[in-house]
Amino acid sequence: MTSRKLNKLNILVYTGTGSTLESVRHCIYSLRRLLSPNYAVIPITESAILKEPWAPTCALLVFPGGADLGYCRALNGAGNRNIAQYVRRGGAYLGFCAGGYYGSQRCEFEVGNAPMEVVGSRELGFYPGICRGGAFKGFEYHSERGARAADVRVRKEGFRGGEELPEVFKCYYNGGGVFVDAEKLEVEGGSVEVLAEYEGDLDVESGEAKVAMVYCKVGEGAAILTGPHPEFDAVNLGRHSELPDYEKLIEDLAADEPSRTTFLKACLTKLGLEVSRGTAIPSLSKLHLSSIHHREVGELLHSLDDIITKEDGEEYIKGENDLFHLEKPESRWDLTSLSRALQSELERPRISPSRGSPDPTTNYSHIPKRIVSHETAWPEPKETPYFNHAVYYSSLLQSREQDQGAEEWGDVLMYGEVATSTNTLLEKNHNLLSHLPTGFTLAATTQVAGRGRGSNVWVAPPGSLIMSTVINHPAHLATTRPIVFLQYLAAIAIVEAIKTYDVGYEEFPVKLKWPNDVYVRDPNNADSVTYVKVAGILANCSYTAGKYQVVLGIGINTNNARPTTSLDAVVPLMQNKDGLQPFKIERLLARLVARLEVLYKTFVREGFGEELEGRYYRYWLHSNQIVTLEAEGGVRARVVGITRDWGMLKAEEVTEGINGALRGTGRVWALQSDENSFDFWRGLVKRKI
């Protein structure tokens, strides 16, 4: 720990009145990526700024994009006095776009444009002048119509080691200002440094230079204010088919991603922060426990009493693999527990800068997992900016109207923005798992140690639907209702959740690949109809007290186009594409949980009989496919289905007749999924190594 003070562990991102969800998401994502594991990047509202003792542990206070009038309404007076005092006593402030206007002495926005005009002095006054905007015309609230990839020229002399910084880079812009006469203030007072300028002509008067970003010395502390958004990462920008130039904007930003990241790191370093070497894996976030019926959270916690231990007034669940800290509202700002958690993260290995992938030997088990219980209300959207609990629970109720028989699964949800692996957190902590009811669901936005079949481990980026559901399958049913079929039920559930997501999605081109992968039409192949993987399933099982406890994990590329494709990328292929909206992860998760519950109840009643078998075959890719059985000496065979007893792949040997037609010989193989892999495109079934 070099420049970082030991008691400054929090990066606080304002998520209260005035901030926008999109800006909060970009801000938290980029800061976690660049500052983990040295700091905890967490949201803070106006209530906390006014009432909580946040300043002593705060290394950086960040105000993201939004509307600075909202900031003023919430914080003018006492709130701004707290912020100003924090900075003047050695703190650091970072204001992006609206946060830049807010941190200046005066804001002049859209002067002369009556519906949007905002003019007035600002209490913080870190920049002792005017922030005037929009620097470029076209801004609209809650819209991307005014967005552009602005060219920004770096003033390298403002940074130590500035020779390594880019000369010019493209930066996301949407409504930000220019810092008027900043070059004069730089010369006259010495408290202002110009960090970057806009290239090209502006639509407002700026003075001699077109200053886009400034550094301001404020007492013992400092502030950096920006007009554009160096925290916006192209990977997190959504599709906007109504804006023909938006794809080009994303491409331009993506091409300059290394330069933008280097510049943002330099800004954070200038504010005295210890930036991660290489590109860090995001630090683990809190896990938010909630329920469609708030009382069920308390009831679940009560059922865990016998595995909860108390230490120094705090409550913990010591699992076999992980330590869970049941966080109390009053301990949120407690430095001792926060220091302990962060120290654990500091001790773990970093991501490899050269390879950009996690070290598979990294051990996350000693990092405490913090659980926040929401017993009276669901988490606010800005508290979990990648997941809206109200949308999820309302969608769950709608799904139950759609699916008679869906009644309980998904009622209790635990969600974390950044988790290790949803399957690992449940399956590897048996004492916790043994207390969880069927239908308990754990979801995440990003996994840093996601698990696949075999020993596969990966970092799952934002935009994926990642979830694990607990199924307590009675042991007496196992012989007639084998648990191997749960992966087939999950595959059917994924397909049907997509096709019944909303009106118009019925013909969505989604298929099943044996045994447990889901494929969609490849949007990148315009010449022919091919399919590419979009989802996978992983089931882990243990036995206790007369039941098999199955943790059923599912991952679906929903909004993220990489590494293969996503559901959103397939929408433009559909004939009725103009009426279809991008998928909402919360709604899709609700549909998926409801479909799983209905299918499982059918399975318990009837086994994997004609109804479920027919639905599986309706969606799969393999009907009458000719394959080569490598382990049988290269025998050619026709796929004829799966066995009803253990779900093995059935393939009948074929020979070529006189007229060239293939006919079955009656010799049939039953192939197990854990012993064989299926290369669908090469038509090859081979032994696993």
Side-chain angles (χ1 to χ4, degrees), residues 5-65:
K5 295 179 181 179
L6 287 175
N7 66 332
K8 301 283 187 178
L9 301 173
N10 281 341
I11 306 295
L12 302 180
V13 178
Y14 178 76
T15 61
T17 303
S19 64
T20 64
L21 183 58
E22 191 69 15
S23 291
V24 166
R25 290 173 63 173
H26 280 276
C27 194
I28 289 179
Y29 172 84
S30 289
L31 293 177
R32 280 190 174 148
R33 181 169 168 255
L34 299 181
L35 295 172
S36 300
N38 300 328
Y39 305 89
V41 181
I42 57 178
I44 186 172
T45 64
E46 60 264 45
S47 175
I49 288 177
L50 287 164
K51 300 175 184 178
E52 300 285 353
W54 56 271
T57 59
C58 180
L60 176 67
L61 179 63
V62 185
F63 272 68

Side-chain angles (χ1 to χ4, degrees), residues 200-213:
D201 296 331
L202 303 185
D203 293 316
V204 294
E205 178 58 42
S206 64
E208 292 181 12
K210 296 168 283 191
V211 177
M213 307 183 201

